[in-house]
Amino acid sequence: MKTIVVACGAGVATSTIIVDRLHNLLSKHDIKAKIIQCNLGEIDSYSRYADLIVSSMKLNKTFEIPSITGISFITGIGQEETEISIINCLRT
């Protein structure tokens, strides 16, 4: 099982929308994953246990695991490309 960290500024509004979209995407591709929802300041504490970070904004820090900006789940613009990137990260 994979672990995904989903983060936004406060860990509430946009991350909740991204988590919902991720659940649908993972279900559609039959991928089992644990999703951890948090604010940007909490990413460090979860990243060492995770396989992927999806954030609502571009991160100013790099991590040892892949990170993807998931704002397209909010706007709808470029969502298909974001979904492909997420699936590719989780299938490796």
Side-chain angles (χ1 to χ4, degrees), residues 20-33 73 79-84 87 91:
D20 181 59
R21 302 295 193 278
L22 276 175
H23 279 301
N24 293 335
L25 175 66
L26 298 174
S27 176
K28 185 167 73 172
H29 289 275
D30 198 31
I31 296 173
K32 304 252 185 276
F73 287 120
Q79 184 171 333
E80 185 175 336
E81 291 85 1
T82 301
E83 291 176 350
I84 290 168
I87 297 302
R91 288 204 170 141

Side-chain angles (χ1 to χ4, degrees), residues 18-85:
I18 293 171
V19 166
D20 181 59
R21 302 295 193 278
L22 276 175
H23 279 301
N24 293 335
L25 175 66
L26 298 174
S27 176
K28 185 167 73 172
H29 289 275
D30 198 31
I31 296 173
K32 304 252 185 276
K34 175 183 176 182
I35 299 175
I36 300 169
Q37 186 174 346
C38 66
N39 66 47
L40 292 174
E42 296 173 317
I43 294 174
D44 278 326
S45 62
Y46 295 115
S47 66
R48 61 189 141 189
Y49 307 109
D51 300 289
L52 174 65
I53 299 166
V54 180
S55 64
S56 64
M57 60 190 70
K58 188 173 181 171
L59 301 175
N60 292 328
K61 180 178 178 180
T62 57
F63 295 89
E64 293 184 20
I65 60 172
S67 63
I68 294 174
T69 304
I71 194 65
S72 65
F73 287 120
I74 309 298
T75 66
I77 299 169
Q79 184 171 333
E80 185 175 336
E81 291 85 1
T82 301
E83 291 176 350
I84 290 168
S85 296

